[in-house]
Amino acid sequence: MRDLKAKTPSSSSSPVCKLESSTSGERGPLRPSMLPKALALASSEEMETLQPDLELDLGSRDNWGSSMEFLMSCIALSVGLGNVWRFPFTALENGGGAFLVPYLTVLFVVGKPIYYMEMLLGQFSSRGIVQVFDFAPLMRGVGYAQLLALGVLATYYASVMALTLRYFFDSFSAVLPWSYCRPEWGDGCVSAASDGHQPPVGQLSRNFSSSSQLYLQRIVLNETQSLSEQGIGYPSGSLALMLALSWLTVTLIIIRGVKSSGKASYVLALFPYAVMFILLVRSLTLPGAYDGVMYFLTPQWDKLLEPEVWYNAVTQVFFSLAVCFGVIIMYSSYNRFGHNVYRDANIVTTLDTFTSLLSGVIIFGILGNLAYESGTKDIGSVVKAGPGLAFISYPEAIAKFKMMPQIFSLLFFGMLFMLGVGSNVGMVSCIMTVLKDRFVNARLWLIVVGLSLVGFIVGLIYITPGGQHIITLLDFHGVTFVSLVSAIFELVTVGWIYGTKRLCQDAEYMLNIKTSKYYRICWSIVTPLSLGWSISAFIIGQLFYWAWHANYKQPKGSLKWRISNSAKPHSDWGPLDSKQLIDYQNFRRNQKDVAAAAHAGLKQHRWLCYSVGDRIFG
């Protein structure tokens, strides 16, 4: 793309404003809000030259109705199922109260820095998960890898929502259907609502199973023991209906983009907290609740010496905050330029931690009561791992409530469903944004409906008798390691290819805030090293392919030149508004001139340590 210059009369003393020319052979589209103003700056002669090269983008990008909608949407996204059912048991298995040490440490060196970084990138550029890598096209494969992982996560996340919805409707029964044994289950079943002492859920042997466990396995899932022998089977009719309702809910919320999802964010963010405080009061008033909470908070300091504990702290923070999936970048891209994302990043990360601790107290208060009713002091024995955390242990405890168990069951599973909707809305919206940015003239509702139909069809695999085996497989290979490794390369790309110094200058230009040394050191050194040992062949393949693609699109030249050229930002990289973009280009040139003048006499002494320090601290 040729340079656009604002030509002024020769008598004018105003400086000539100029957009930096593209340094990448792969030309990106001129952003929609830039187009009228930018073209007005060019002369008719330049227009004739530019016209063949311009890919006209006539669409428009929505914005949040208010700053509060953005904040509520981030809360609804980050505060999800991972806080309510994953954190308490992760803490229990990794040192109890001692787990807070690695958890809070990782929160400050991984969670908060990445969250703030992604908010900066999205708001500064008004680009989605893939387009944001216009600042370094060589690494665009990171965006595509995150997009694919997000697609896998969104489809099976909806199947968990379907299970939650099934239990929600079951809670309207006069007697909770998982609270009693059925004749066809034989003598090996132990009623969940039994008043007598019985083996706790975690200690039930092959010959004895809780009615809540058998209800999930035989009635709801109709589970198979082995995929190789029995196959995956056919989808459950009732779960298919619940899956359809789950996708319909997501579709209606995002059908008009952020205009509709922003309004729904208030309910999605606040309703779970209302339910959690009701459950908190109830759980703490149950017999045995105190013992359960103390069991959760009692530290096991020897666990801190185990590397696995720190790994689990990283994954917990990572998936709880939903960083490096591209959703935070997408949400921030709909902000007005200059919105205080520094404040919002601190609010969301702090609230996420508070929610995890709150849910831990609630859950272990309930499990303390379950242990009390079961006649055991070993509270850890009542825990059932895997999907049973939400659909065996919790229903088991609720079934033992003496007063109105249906009410608390409705509240609990209603809360889980709302948490699932808040997270899935963000994931599907992220994919929708990539498609909308690519096909700007496509109708938004067609993209949303199309995504929901594809998600529903794929999700039918997960609600078959063998579906849980497939979820476990995809979660491990398609999401967990993929996302961790893409995070490593995202941090390397931002911190060292684009540059920590330049990101801090962008933050200063946009927010008028000086970036602290804490964020500079985390972005460039500490956070990448914290994630660096997680490697996935799938991600590596994505990186090499898109790096090759970016080089393939470059004009002919040496390999070194092509690699260097494809690592530089596109010509239109920067603020979405054309006036701000021109001002930003002038700001960048002034920064370079100041730096060049300051370092003029030091060029011959610029050692490696000096260059590294300059990249971070400027």
Side-chain angles (χ1 to χ4, degrees), residues 181-182 185-186 188-190 208-220 392:
C181 295
R182 307 189 182 197
W185 294 346
C189 175
V190 178
F208 292 92
S209 299
S210 165
S211 60
S212 60
Q213 179 179 349
L214 293 174
Y215 180 76
L216 173 67
Q217 294 175 342
R218 299 188 182 183
I219 302 298
V220 178
I392 296 179

Side-chain angles (χ1 to χ4, degrees), residues 141-154:
V142 176
Y144 281 103
Q146 292 176 346
L147 184 67
L148 292 174
L150 198 63
V152 174
L153 182 59

Side-chain angles (χ1 to χ4, degrees), residues 446-458:
L446 282 176
I447 295 176
V448 174
V449 171
L451 285 174
S452 298
L453 287 175
V454 172
F456 172 74
I457 293 172
V458 173

Side-chain angles (χ1 to χ4, degrees), residues 286-545:
L286 293 170
Y290 176 80
D291 293 333
V293 173
M294 292 308 298
Y295 188 88
F296 167 58
L297 296 177
T298 301
Q300 303 171 37
W301 298 111
D302 58 305
K303 287 280 189 177
L304 295 182
L305 300 177
E306 300 178 9
E308 185 179 358
V309 172
W310 292 87
Y311 168 78
N312 288 328
V314 170
T315 55
Q316 176 60 39
V317 168
F318 194 82
F319 291 104
S320 177
L321 288 174
V323 292
C324 294
F325 283 103
V327 187
I328 304 301
I329 293 176
M330 179 272 298
Y331 272 165
S332 303
S333 71
Y334 293 108
N335 274 341
R336 61 175 177 80
F337 194 83
H339 173 72
N340 190 353
V341 290
Y342 177 81
R343 175 198 61 203
D344 289 351
N346 282 293
I347 291 174
V348 176
T349 53
T350 302
L351 191 60
D352 182 81
T353 304
F354 167 77
T355 307
S356 295
L357 297 176
L358 176 65
S359 63
V361 173
I362 294 171
I363 296 310
F364 276 88
I366 294 174
L367 293 179
N369 173 254
L370 178 57
Y372 174 84
E373 295 289 342
S374 302
T376 178
K377 294 184 179 180
D378 185 7
I379 296 173
S381 66
V382 303
V383 177
K384 176 73 176 178
L389 300 184
F391 303 110
I392 296 179
S393 295
Y394 300 165
E396 177 93 8
I398 292 173
K400 293 184 180 299
F401 283 9
K402 305 300 182 184
M403 296 177 58
M404 301 181 295
Q406 290 87 352
I407 297 297
F408 289 100
S409 183
L410 284 170
L411 287 174
F412 180 75
F413 288 108
M415 176 189 69
L416 287 186
F417 181 73
M418 295 296 282
L419 290 172
V421 170
S423 298
N424 217 18
V425 161
M427 290 185 276
V428 178
S429 297
C430 188
I431 302 171
M432 174 199 72
T433 299
V434 172
L435 295 176
K436 182 60 179 174
D437 286 350
R438 177 65 181 84
F439 306 102
V440 293
N441 294 320
R443 294 183 179 274
L444 186 64
W445 70 268
L446 282 176
I447 295 176
V448 174
V449 171
L451 285 174
S452 298
L453 287 175
V454 172
F456 172 74
I457 293 172
V458 173
L460 292 175
I461 300 174
Y462 306 131
I463 57 174
T464 58
Q468 295 303 305
H469 299 288
I470 297 176
I471 287 180
T472 302
L473 183 69
L474 288 178
D475 178 67
F476 183 79
H477 293 287
V479 177
T480 304
F481 282 109
V482 168
S483 302
L484 285 174
V485 177
S486 67
I488 298 169
F489 285 100
E490 177 182 323
L491 288 164
V492 171
T493 303
V494 175
W496 292 100
I497 296 180
Y498 185 65
T500 298
K501 181 173 72 172
R502 180 164 181 176
L503 179 63
C504 295
Q505 290 174 349
D506 294 347
E508 181 182 358
Y509 172 78
M510 180 171 64
L511 306 178
N512 196 27
I513 294 176
K514 289 279 190 181
T515 305
S516 67
K517 293 182 180 179
Y518 157 68
Y519 282 110
R520 292 172 183 263
I521 295 173
C522 284
W523 287 338
S524 56
I525 300 173
V526 178
T527 308
L529 290 178
S530 301
L531 300 172
W533 37 263
S534 300
I535 299 298
S536 167
F538 177 78
I539 291 293
I540 293 174
Q542 288 289 321
L543 290 167
F544 279 115
Y545 173 78

Side-chain angles (χ1 to χ4, degrees), residues 209-254:
S209 299
S210 165
S211 60
S212 60
Q213 179 179 349
L214 293 174
Y215 180 76
L216 173 67
Q217 294 175 342
R218 299 188 182 183
I219 302 298
V220 178
L221 297 177
N222 191 23
E223 235 176 25
T224 59
Q225 297 299 318
S226 173
L227 285 178
S228 59
E229 296 178 2
Q230 299 168 288
I232 63 171
Y234 295 97
S236 163
S238 60
L239 287 181
L241 177 60
M242 298 300 105
L243 184 65
L245 289 175
S246 300
W247 278 109
L248 179 62
T249 303
V250 173
T251 301
L252 293 177
I253 290 176
I254 65 174

Side-chain angles (χ1 to χ4, degrees), residues 36 38 98 159 453 530 573 605 614:
S159 71
L453 287 175
S530 301
W573 167 255
H605 302 296
D614 182 66

